[in-house]
Amino acid sequence: MTTTIGPISQTIHPKDPRLAEVARKLEANFLAEMFKAAGVGEARQSFGGGAGEDHFSSFLVQEYADATVAAGGIGLAENIYQALVQKETTS
């Protein structure tokens, strides 16, 4: 038996768009750090782009993270958003 999982969708329906944007940015920053740890954007050993590639690889990794969040992310933004809303309502 094979179970197929569909695409992840981001289901934030914000009452406060400011908090939703903060949550998405936090998810993107988290993903960027995970991509860096996984070696995404690292220069190749042979025929690499030299120093320029090293300098600009962080921009590429951040764009990958932003694109991942724009495509639905991993669901972290929803949890962050809910925590921010809860924190705001209890303060």
Side-chain angles (χ1 to χ4, degrees), residues 47-65:
F47 301 107
E53 185 174 8
D54 291 337
H55 291 298
F56 290 100
S57 66
S58 64
F59 294 119
L60 177 63
V61 170
Q62 188 62 49
E63 284 302 313
Y64 283 157

Side-chain angles (χ1 to χ4, degrees), residues 29-42 61:
N29 287 333
F30 172 79
L31 287 172
E33 290 302 316
M34 293 300 103
F35 289 156
K36 286 178 198 172
V40 173
E42 286 184 358
V61 170

Side-chain angles (χ1 to χ4, degrees), residues 14-88:
K15 294 179 183 177
D16 187 345
R18 179 182 52 91
L19 290 180
E21 184 60 28
V22 168
R24 288 185 187 103
K25 285 182 181 180
L26 282 169
E27 181 177 15
N29 287 333
F30 172 79
L31 287 172
E33 290 302 316
M34 293 300 103
F35 289 156
K36 286 178 198 172
V40 173
E42 286 184 358
R44 295 179 295 260
Q45 297 299 324
S46 60
F47 301 107
E53 185 174 8
D54 291 337
H55 291 298
F56 290 100
S57 66
S58 64
F59 294 119
L60 177 63
V61 170
Q62 188 62 49
E63 284 302 313
Y64 283 157
D66 291 341
T68 302
V69 171
I74 60 172
L76 186 59
E78 174 67 29
N79 292 327
I80 293 169
Y81 175 75
Q82 293 300 330
L84 290 172
V85 168
Q86 184 178 21
K87 178 77 172 167
E88 192 172 77

